């Protein structure tokens, strides 16, 4: 697969990326656990078929100490015993928030209540923003055919520096 358009070399895209990274920085520094952030980003990216983001979030999670077992089981989290109830609530919200076209009600009241049970207002705000942001990132990468495989942990850490 060849990259259609290099978003990192275009001036307008670079300016957009800077603002996009700023939004990501707010989430990154929130009280939503970093492991939950990576699991949610990974699951949405799996659903959207974004190899670039799957590559990035798998490697970032592993570099942060996430176990290979948990990373391998994200796609089948409902049939797994390695995720906490809070993580399951976040993954359910991520799935329903990603599959909007597949489910008429969007995020169900049951899923919202589960997320509400485990996350405070700031964490919930971060979780909702994260689901929106990773879905946008997936679309950017998929549209231009940004391939997975070459990401190195920390590659974009400059975007998260204060």
């Amino acid at each position: 697969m060849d990259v259609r358009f290099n978003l990192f070399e275009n001036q307008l895209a670079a300016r957009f990326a800077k603002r996009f990274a700023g939004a990501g920085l707010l989430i990154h520094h929130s009280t939503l656990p970093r492991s939950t952030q990576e699991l949610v980003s990974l699951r949405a990216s799996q659903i959207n078929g974004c190899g670039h983001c799957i590559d990035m979030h798998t490697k970032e999670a592993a570099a942060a100490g996430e176990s290979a077992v948990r990373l391998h089981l994200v796609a089948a989290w409902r049939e797994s015993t390695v995720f906490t109830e809070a993580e399951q609530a976040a993954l359910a919200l991520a799935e329903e928030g990603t599959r909007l076209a597949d489910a008429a009600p969007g995020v169900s009241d049951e899923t919202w209540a589960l997320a509400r049970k485990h996350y405070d207002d700031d964490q919930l705000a971060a979780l909702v923003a994260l689901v929106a942001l990773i879905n946008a990132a997936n679309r950017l990468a998929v549209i231009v055919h940004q391939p997975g495989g070459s990401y190195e942990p920390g590659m974009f850490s400059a975007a998260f520096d204060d």
Side-chain angles (χ1 to χ4, degrees), residues 43 47-48 94-107 139:
R43 185 62 191 129
I47 292 166
N48 289 323
E95 283 192 2
E96 291 180 22
T98 298
R99 298 183 187 270
L100 293 176
D102 298 341
V107 175
R139 278 146 182 79

Side-chain angles (χ1 to χ4, degrees), residues 20-92:
F20 197 80
L25 183 62
L26 289 173
I27 298 164
H28 182 77
H29 288 302
S30 74
T31 58
L32 183 66
R34 188 76 185 128
S35 59
T36 301
Q37 292 181 38
E38 293 298 343
L39 296 172
V40 162
S41 295
L42 176 57
R43 185 62 191 129
S45 299
Q46 290 171 336
I47 292 166
N48 289 323
C50 182
H52 177 72
C53 294
I54 291 169
D55 186 33
M56 178 190 319
H57 294 291
T58 300
K59 289 174 180 174
E60 288 292 347
E66 190 61 70
S67 76
V69 170
R70 284 170 41 96
L71 291 174
H72 290 301
L73 288 173
V74 168
W77 65 268
R78 283 183 181 82
E79 293 80 27
S80 304
T81 60
V82 297
F83 301 103
T84 67
E85 191 175 296
E87 290 168 336
Q88 291 172 10
L91 289 164

Side-chain angles (χ1 to χ4, degrees), residues 123-139:
Q123 291 171 322
L124 201 54
L127 184 57
V128 169
L130 176 61
V131 171
L133 198 66
I134 190 60
N135 274 279
N138 292 162
R139 278 146 182 79

